[in-house]
Amino acid sequence: MKKYIFMLCASLACTACIHNFDAEMASAAQMTAENVGEPNTTIAKVREMYKTQIANNTNDETAKVNDDLIIEGIVTGNDLSGNIYQSIYVQDVNNDGTIDSDNGGIQVCIKGVGSLASVFPAGQKIRMNLKGLYVSGYGKMPRIGQPYITTSSSPSVRIGPMAQTHLKQNIQLVGTHHANIVTPHEFTSADMDKIDKLTPLFVVMHGCKIKEADGKATYAPTETGVYSVQRTLQLADGKTVVMYNSCSASFASDVMPTGKLTVYGIMTRYSSTWQLILRSVDDVVIEK
């Protein structure tokens, strides 16, 4: 199975430690668009419009958006702890301003920003004009970005992060962030036949166990040459999902807790495999 490769610059850790709110907001305003237009579609409709490209991981011009498709959504995940790399996750907004927690959102890939969390904190509403960007999939998971050529021995074209210049052209911040509106979907094994509908999505699972947790094992190894590790999250009824942890995450060397847990995170996929990505170590809560 292919694994995500997470690579984190040392400067990101330094940036994450600096919490000058005024400076961050000024920087965010300078980096993003003033006005991309009024929303004229939804994430759900864009996913449907490009469902063939998403399912086939299409990387050609058919995945390019040539019209002014303007979506509005709420950020649910970012690179706060380094476990998510060059991406934010965004979900639709209901008519009453709450987050749509029953339908999958979309991954928005962005490079060239030291700390996406300072620009796009959880609970931040954004508008995106998708014109000039690409909508496709990675392992069939919906994403927005731009094409790039891999540097492997057999180079290929994939849809990866957009250049930083697109922030000023395509993405607008709407108001200030409100973390309390980021409500999770209560994920159970009954959802496991809905992988197309429910990825990517901010979720919570109760009564879980990390199978590899033994009081000594950490979330991820930190030795040189290893980028990410796969752990196994066992649901209350015994079924399992993969939990991917970056070796560059701020909590990589933390010992995984044993016993029953409530676990939050972004539920993603690679093909038919469910993959949970923690946003921070605070997403794992020991049940009493």
Side-chain angles (χ1 to χ4, degrees):
M1 180 191 303
K2 295 182 180 179
K3 296 184 177 180
Y4 288 135
I5 296 180
F6 295 89
M7 300 177 64
L8 187 64
C9 296
S11 60
L12 176 59
C14 297
T15 303
C17 293
I18 300 173
H19 293 290
N20 185 323
F21 183 82
D22 292 334
E24 288 179 355
M25 290 303 101
S27 176
Q30 292 169 2
M31 294 174 66
T32 54
E34 291 185 9
N35 189 351
V36 299
E38 292 297 313
N40 58 17
T41 188
T42 65
I43 293 172
K45 290 178 180 177
V46 169
R47 285 169 55 116
E48 177 63 22
M49 190 180 306
Y50 287 88
K51 64 181 180 181
T52 299
Q53 289 82 358
I54 292 169
N56 295 317
N57 307 312
T58 303
N59 53 36
D60 59 26
E61 286 295 302
T62 65
K64 186 176 182 179
V65 180
N66 295 308
D67 301 312
D68 290 306
L69 292 182
I70 303 170
I71 59 175
E72 187 170 79
I74 296 172
V75 176
T76 58
N78 52 41
D79 62 357
L80 179 65
S81 71
N83 204 37
I84 294 172
Y85 179 61
Q86 291 190 337
S87 295
I88 59 174
Y89 291 88
V90 184
Q91 291 172 217
D92 264 325
V93 186
N94 293 319
N95 292 334
D96 62 0
T98 60
I99 194 169
D100 180 359
S101 59
D102 293 320
N103 294 285
I106 202 158
Q107 180 187 22
V108 181
C109 304
I110 306 167
K111 64 182 177 181
V113 179
S115 174
L116 287 170
S118 66
V119 182
F120 303 105
Q124 176 66 56
K125 184 185 291 186
I126 65 171
R127 289 179 186 169
M128 289 188 64
N129 189 330
L130 305 186
K131 189 173 184 178
L133 299 174
Y134 288 66
V135 180
S136 186
Y138 180 75
K140 299 186 178 183
M141 190 176 72
R143 64 166 40 176
I144 296 169
Q146 286 183 298
Y148 75 101
I149 300 175
T150 65
T151 56
S152 62
S153 57
S154 301
S156 60
V157 179
R158 294 180 182 173
I159 302 300
M162 70 181 77
Q164 182 184 340
T165 53
H166 279 281
L167 295 186
K168 195 67 176 176
Q169 302 170 9
N170 296 82
I171 305 180
Q172 172 191 349
L173 302 178
V174 180
T176 57
H177 75 283
H178 300 281
N180 61 321
I181 68 174
V182 183
T183 53
H185 174 85
E186 299 265 351
F187 187 90
T188 69
S189 59
D191 289 321
M192 296 188 75
D193 62 347
K194 304 173 185 176
I195 197 166
D196 290 331
K197 176 182 172 66
L198 297 180
T199 55
L201 193 67
F202 178 47
V203 302
V204 61
M205 292 164 284
H206 301 284
C208 302
K209 291 183 179 180
I210 302 173
K211 290 187 71 173
E212 293 81 4
D214 59 4
K216 296 181 180 179
T218 61
Y219 282 97
T222 55
E223 59 263 25
T224 303
V226 180
Y227 299 107
S228 62
V229 66
Q230 174 181 319
R231 302 301 190 193
T232 307
L233 191 63
Q234 183 175 307
L235 306 187
D237 66 355
K239 292 187 178 180
T240 61
V241 298
V242 169
M243 183 171 70
Y244 265 92
N245 300 326
S246 169
C247 298
S248 296
S250 60
F251 57 87
S253 60
D254 289 4
V255 175
M256 295 182 293
T258 58
K260 289 188 177 182
L261 309 167
T262 293
V263 179
Y264 299 82
I266 305 296
M267 189 64 80
T268 67
R269 69 184 295 183
Y270 187 80
S271 190
S272 60
T273 301
W274 293 92
Q275 298 181 335
L276 183 81
I277 302 179
L278 301 174
R279 302 169 306 162
S280 76
V281 73
D282 294 334
D283 278 341
V284 179
V285 181
I286 299 173
E287 295 183 358
K288 296 181 180 180

